[in-house]
Amino acid sequence: EPEVTQTPSHQVTQMGQEVILRCVPISNHLYFYWYRQILGQKVEFLVSFYNNEISEKSEIFDDQFSVERPDGSNFTLKIRSTKLEDSAMYFCARNTGAGANVLTFGAGSRLTVL
Amino acid sequence: TQLLEQSPQFLSIQEGENLTVYCNSSSVFSSLQWYRQEPGEGPVLLVTVVTGGEVKKLKRLTFQFGDARKDSSLHITAAQPGDKGLYLCAGEVGQGNLIFGKGTKLSVKP
């Protein structure tokens, strides 16, 4: 059973539409993260989320992005009005809690914006 | 802006050969992590190095963290076809905030 489950595995959307990506981290850890990887480019940090609040965010994480954990389980990334350049793999991760900040990543959600 | 330069970008070798992947930066990291990523999947952690000069071994893989904690290397001995994949180094700059290198895509010919 995967430790971090992401849905959907692939979503195709029209530019300007809202998208919600979901993550179910199976653990009691409090730190969660979103990263993205544009095709052929580096994995990039978007945001960290601790105790139901944003802990840290990158320059990429602008006003069109938001995160929440509404029911204490699912951890969501919302993109309010998608742009073509938002097409990427989005990875959810959680902290393993083992010493240094070691992350367990989900398999990712591929977002394609047309 | 903190950067991690990873080299080589591509590596194609014969089964049984040795290889080394390098990860360099001008920045100091509190830890450096190595991941392996298969197509369509998320990165999977191989090892974390924390102390300058630290060497860790994982079967045929040897990881080293530079004394100044700015660089790291991954050495694979007697590569096998199953070692193929994208190897990523990542430096920790905050609580779970990792700066990733561009990766080294390894293929091993039988």
Side-chain angles (χ1 to χ4, degrees), chain A residues 6-74:
Chain A
Q6 290 188 239
T7 58
S9 56
H10 188 192
Q11 180 157 355
V12 180
T13 190
Q14 294 290 324
M15 192 169 56
Q17 295 296 304
E18 178 183 280
V19 161
I20 297 177
L21 306 178
R22 291 183 172 80
C23 173
V24 183
I26 305 174
S27 77
N28 294 322
H29 292 293
L30 297 175
Y31 266 105
F32 304 104
Y33 310 86
W34 283 103
Y35 280 77
R36 81 170 184 191
Q37 185 177 31
I38 295 172
L39 186 65
Q41 298 188 25
K42 297 181 183 183
V43 177
E44 300 173 292
F45 170 78
L46 291 178
V47 65
S48 59
F49 192 78
Y50 173 71
N51 206 21
N52 294 322
E53 289 185 351
I54 289 176
S55 174
E56 194 173 352
K57 60 182 181 179
S58 71
E59 292 177 353
I60 303 167
F61 195 87
D62 60 23
D63 290 344
Q64 71 157 348
F65 290 94
S66 62
V67 289
E68 61 178 4
R69 200 179 180 207
D71 55 7
S73 177
N74 288 301

Side-chain angles (χ1 to χ4, degrees), chain A residues 31 33 35 37 40-45 48 55-57 89 91 95-96 100-108 110, chain B residues 3-5 31 33 35 37 40-45 48 50 86 88 92-102:
Chain A
Y31 266 105
Y33 310 86
Y35 280 77
Q37 185 177 31
Q41 298 188 25
K42 297 181 183 183
V43 177
E44 300 173 292
F45 170 78
S48 59
S55 174
E56 194 173 352
K57 60 182 181 179
M89 282 290 284
F91 294 106
N95 194 316
T96 65
N101 291 303
V102 174
L103 305 185
T104 297
F105 285 85
R110 178 173 296 283
Chain B
L3 289 173
L4 263 179
E5 298 294 334
S31 76
Q33 302 169 19
Y35 291 83
Q37 186 180 22
E41 297 180 11
V44 176
L45 180 74
T48 301
V50 178
L86 182 67
L88 300 165
E92 183 184 358
V93 297
Q95 184 77 31
N97 182 346
L98 303 176
I99 301 288
F100 278 84
K102 286 196 79 171

Side-chain angles (χ1 to χ4, degrees), chain B residues 14-81:
Chain B
Q14 291 292 137
E15 182 177 358
E17 289 183 343
N18 302 332
L19 65 110
T20 303
V21 177
Y22 299 94
C23 195
N24 296 293
S25 177
S26 58
S27 303
V28 176
F29 297 103
S30 53
S31 76
L32 200 137
Q33 302 169 19
W34 284 91
Y35 291 83
R36 181 167 166 241
Q37 186 180 22
E38 299 273 28
E41 297 180 11
V44 176
L45 180 74
L46 295 173
V47 81
T48 301
V49 285
V50 178
T51 307
E54 184 176 1
V55 177
K56 279 192 175 178
K57 292 197 174 187
L58 188 67
K59 295 183 182 178
R60 292 177 293 101
L61 278 60
T62 302
F63 303 85
Q64 187 161 6
F65 202 12
D67 291 339
R69 291 188 291 132
K70 294 181 181 181
D71 53 82
S72 182
S73 63
L74 156 62
H75 183 80
I76 301 179
T77 303
Q80 305 294 312

